Amino acid sequence: MSEAIAGRDRDLGNFIPGPSLSEYRVRFESHFALDRQDGILTIRMHRQGQAARWSRGLLNAWNLLLREVGADRDNEVVIITGTGDSWLAGVEARSFAEPLNQWDSDLVVEQYNDGVRLLERLVFDIDVPTIAAINGPGPRLELPLLCDLTLCTEDAVFGDGNFSAGSIPGDGMFLALCELVGPKRASYIVYTGQGIPANEAERLGIVNEVVTRAELMPRAHELASRIMARPRTARRLTHGIASRPWQRRLVADLRNSYAHQLLGMTT
């Protein structure tokens, strides 16, 4: 919360304090390195200081972290990125080794909740501008594509490998591609397993800029600083307009699509 608002709230004595970065930084440190400078919060995924791998634990952590980030009024711009040369270094196989039809029913419900909340938290709970800095190739790129601005390195590749792997493209990437490049092209990408290289992704409007790895975070912080130079109300309400198309898309499609994916995983 800004100092002016916090002071007023203390005087009134009727506002519940929001989350404290010093507390949730420690809570989530096994999955994320969190740093905030001048209101700009950087969320960096990691696994013991190296590139993270997608897992049930990381999915759940994203759901819970974004809730805290959105409720912390000291966060004015959010940057998300990965560690090293990969957005994610693959998938943690043991998290998904057991077929879904052998999962406990409570775990299936938890998977569904975390799966949809991953994107819903970003789009509905975060009220400030968001910048994604995709630091290399890896799966689960739907989250950075839903940010207001998306930068990537030259070796990033965009696609949806679900169908090629015998699964259903319901966890968000197909949805993101439909919004960004249209359903016809998105369907072709899914059915063929086509990977779109970074420069082509920029041409198609999937990302905003392609930069070298050395330039990535400086450029993300440069954009964040430009945003911070504008009035607080302008920043937050502009984000509200920018996120509106994603809100419509998620309400219309996400839960239905993800339910289809989980249904397919039971067979």
Side-chain angles (χ1 to χ4, degrees), residues 84-156:
D85 296 342
S86 301
W87 170 253
L88 286 169
V91 177
E92 186 66 62
R94 63 182 180 177
S95 286
F96 306 100
E98 192 175 57
L100 196 71
N101 57 15
Q102 297 179 23
W103 288 21
D104 179 270
S105 60
D106 288 342
L107 185 58
V108 174
V109 172
E110 188 174 305
Q111 173 74 18
Y112 175 78
N113 181 68
D114 286 337
V116 296
R117 290 292 186 185
L118 170 70
L119 300 184
E120 289 179 347
R121 294 280 190 211
L122 178 67
V123 170
F124 290 101
D125 289 6
I126 306 298
D127 295 326
V128 300
T130 53
I131 301 172
I134 301 172
N135 58 304
R140 304 309 303 251
L141 289 171
E142 63 272 17
L143 187 71
L145 293 186
L146 268 65
C147 289
D148 296 344
L149 301 176
T150 303
L151 316 178
C152 75
T153 56
E154 299 158 305
D155 56 348

Side-chain angles (χ1 to χ4, degrees), residues 125-243:
D125 289 6
I126 306 298
D127 295 326
V128 300
T130 53
I131 301 172
I134 301 172
N135 58 304
R140 304 309 303 251
L141 289 171
E142 63 272 17
L143 187 71
L145 293 186
L146 268 65
C147 289
D148 296 344
L149 301 176
T150 303
L151 316 178
C152 75
T153 56
E154 299 158 305
D155 56 348
V157 179
F158 299 86
D160 189 325
N162 276 297
F163 187 75
S164 295
S167 185
I168 293 85
D171 53 9
M173 190 63 181
F174 179 63
L175 175 153
L177 290 171
C178 281
E179 184 70 24
L180 294 170
V181 302
K184 199 72 173 179
R185 191 186 299 269
S187 295
Y188 183 81
I189 292 169
V190 164
Y191 281 121
T192 63
Q194 178 188 20
I196 301 174
N199 288 333
E200 178 70 2
E202 182 181 20
R203 187 187 71 81
L204 292 173
I206 295 173
V207 300
N208 299 109
E209 296 182 15
V210 179
V211 298
T212 66
R213 188 164 285 108
E215 295 170 331
L216 182 67
M217 292 310 296
R219 179 57 175 159
H221 281 280
E222 178 187 357
L223 290 169
S225 296
R226 289 187 182 184
I227 291 170
M228 285 295 294
R230 305 281 75 80
R232 191 170 192 261
T233 299
R235 297 195 304 264
R236 289 173 175 264
L237 295 184
T238 298
H239 170 74
I241 294 172
S243 61

Side-chain angles (χ1 to χ4, degrees), residues 31-32 45-47 50-55 58 62 81-83 85-91 134-142 144:
H31 291 290
F32 307 103
M45 295 182 291
H46 75 95
R47 183 188 185 192
Q50 304 299 315
R53 297 177 70 87
W54 189 250
S55 66
L58 181 56
W62 266 120
T81 191
T83 297
D85 296 342
S86 301
W87 170 253
L88 286 169
V91 177
I134 301 172
N135 58 304
R140 304 309 303 251
L141 289 171
E142 63 272 17

